Amino acid sequence: MSAGVRLRVVSYNIHGQRDDTAALASVVRSAAPDVVIVQEGARRFGWRQRNAALAESFGLVVAAGGLPSLGNVLLTSLRVRVLGTSCRRFPLTPGRHLRGAALADCAVGGARFVLAGSHLSTDPAERPAQAAAFKQDLAGAAWPVVAGADLNEGPDGPAWRTLADGLTDAALEMDRADRLTYSCAEPRRRIDALFVDPSIRVVDYDVVDTPETRRASDHFPILADLLLPVAG
């Protein structure tokens, strides 16, 4: 195996913690991730305290996100150093839910990477512009990107294609694109994705479907093991 730094990633739409929160915490702790890319984290009153409590329940800390990124939250273990963060809000369409993205410049071992997360609109007319804005952030990253997102569309959609362009779809890389992510009650679609820079090796990928994950949220979590290139 080529030299590199291991990173375990979970990307997870947690449904606003409206389901079994004990199961949610157990699912993430059992995965023992280095980073968690959260969609539908706290974004309203008390969001700092609520996201801090979520991170603590996972055994992690908050790196970025919350209200500034409209519910996208990046969590890390103490193994990962966070060197800088940024948040984006996508342009508002009247009458629609606000959407955004969170990014963090991170270091682990001898590797540098940019962790990013987003949650695109349920409206197909809005998603392409949101994907283009998020893609602009990813394209401007100074280090290899690890990006998780709930795209609210499948791989045949224009927003998905925009984000996947030039990046590795971790599911395809591991020949596991048949693993469906939504919904837990009736799995029928792959609308959650993990994209990584081509310099990052995908060692393993799966969608965790267990009785516990079916209680924890309406989405299944993505779990991936990556090998990051050592920074030159």
Side-chain angles (χ1 to χ4, degrees):
M1 181 179 293
S2 57
V5 178
R6 286 270 188 165
L7 188 78
R8 173 162 278 200
V9 180
V10 167
S11 185
Y12 204 172
N13 183 323
I14 64 169
H15 199 209
Q17 295 178 264
R18 294 194 293 272
D19 302 296
D20 186 332
T21 56
L24 178 65
S26 178
V27 165
V28 175
R29 281 184 174 269
S30 296
D34 297 301
V35 298
V36 178
I37 304 165
V38 173
Q39 299 91 43
E40 292 197 29
R43 53 180 282 183
R44 294 187 175 89
F45 297 110
W47 62 272
R48 288 186 180 87
Q49 295 85 350
R50 291 172 58 201
N51 285 328
L54 175 71
E56 183 178 8
S57 75
F58 292 168
L60 304 171
V61 297
V62 178
L67 176 61
S69 60
L70 301 170
N72 296 286
V73 185
L74 305 177
L75 309 178
T76 66
S77 72
L78 297 180
R79 177 174 175 251
V80 177
R81 290 184 295 132
V82 178
L83 305 175
T85 66
S86 62
C87 293
R88 169 192 281 277
R89 295 186 178 194
F90 301 134
L92 173 64
T93 300
R96 300 294 183 182
H97 292 297
L98 290 166
R99 302 285 179 168
L103 298 95
D105 179 2
C106 300
V108 58
R112 292 284 298 272
F113 68 101
V114 172
L115 186 68
S118 187
H119 184 188
L120 304 188
S121 175
T122 56
D123 184 343
E126 290 186 308
R127 286 196 296 268
Q130 293 175 355
F134 187 36
K135 184 68 171 183
Q136 184 177 31
D137 291 333
L138 301 182
W143 301 100
V145 166
V146 176
D150 173 359
L151 280 68
N152 271 311
E153 70 179 30
D156 58 342
W160 188 296
R161 291 195 296 269
T162 293
L163 289 172
D165 183 34
L167 297 175
T168 299
D169 181 334
L172 288 177
E173 186 72 4
M174 291 286 100
D175 195 25
R176 290 175 180 166
D178 60 336
R179 279 21 178 209
L180 306 179
T181 66
Y182 181 82
S183 70
C184 291
E186 186 183 351
R188 60 188 183 276
R189 303 176 69 196
R190 183 167 81 99
I191 63 173
D192 304 272
L194 183 70
F195 301 112
V196 301
D197 188 271
S199 68
I200 296 173
R201 178 180 174 187
V202 182
V203 178
D204 198 10
Y205 169 96
D206 210 347
V207 173
V208 185
D209 181 353
T210 66
E212 202 165 42
T213 60
R214 286 176 180 255
R215 297 197 306 272
S217 178
D218 62 340
H219 288 245
F220 295 112
I222 289 171
L223 175 62
D225 288 306
L226 308 177
L227 197 64
L228 306 177
V230 175

